[in-house]
Every structure is written in C-alpha cells, then in structure tokens.
Amino acid sequence: MELEEQEGVDPVIERRCAECGATLTESEIRAALELRGPFLCAVHASEEVALDEDAEPPA
Ligand SMILES: [Zn+2]
C-alpha cells in the first residue's frame, strides 16, 4: 500500500531517479507510474528488471 497521493500527479512534473537523481524521461516516468514503483532512470529500472529475472544465479 502506497501512502503517497500520486493519483492526480501532474504529467509535466519533473521526476528524478530514486537511485541516482537523474532526470527521468517521459516514458520512464510513465513506466514508474504504471508499475507504481519507485521512480528510476532507465539504468536503474533495467537493473531492477535484471535482478528480478535473474532468479536462477549461475552455478
Ligand atoms: Zn538512476
């Protein structure tokens, strides 16, 4: 459960990566909103996906 009230978030608002503070692109912001996850830049977002997909660590 998110306590933040982001329902009426302004699409023009500038978001930054929660990890490195990089300014996010519109698509990156949209992805974060859709996933209701933290705002991450493409680098850190892909890292999260990579970690999630890497369920089986190499032997
Ligand atoms: Zn980042």
Side-chain angles (χ1 to χ4, degrees):
M1 288 289 283
E2 296 285 345
L3 295 177
E4 294 177 276
E5 296 182 37
Q6 302 284 3
E7 291 298 316
V9 63
D10 190 333
V12 184
I13 197 167
E14 191 171 316
R15 295 286 182 171
R16 290 177 182 276
C17 175
E19 290 291 332
C20 66
T23 305
L24 302 183
T25 65
E26 189 178 332
S27 59
E28 287 166 352
I29 294 170
R30 197 175 304 165
L33 289 173
E34 287 182 3
L35 295 173
R36 295 190 178 183
F39 288 90
L40 297 171
C41 67
V43 174
H44 289 112
S46 62
E47 280 186 1
E48 284 229 328
V49 173
L51 287 173
D52 196 44
E53 289 183 343
D54 193 22
E56 295 180 53

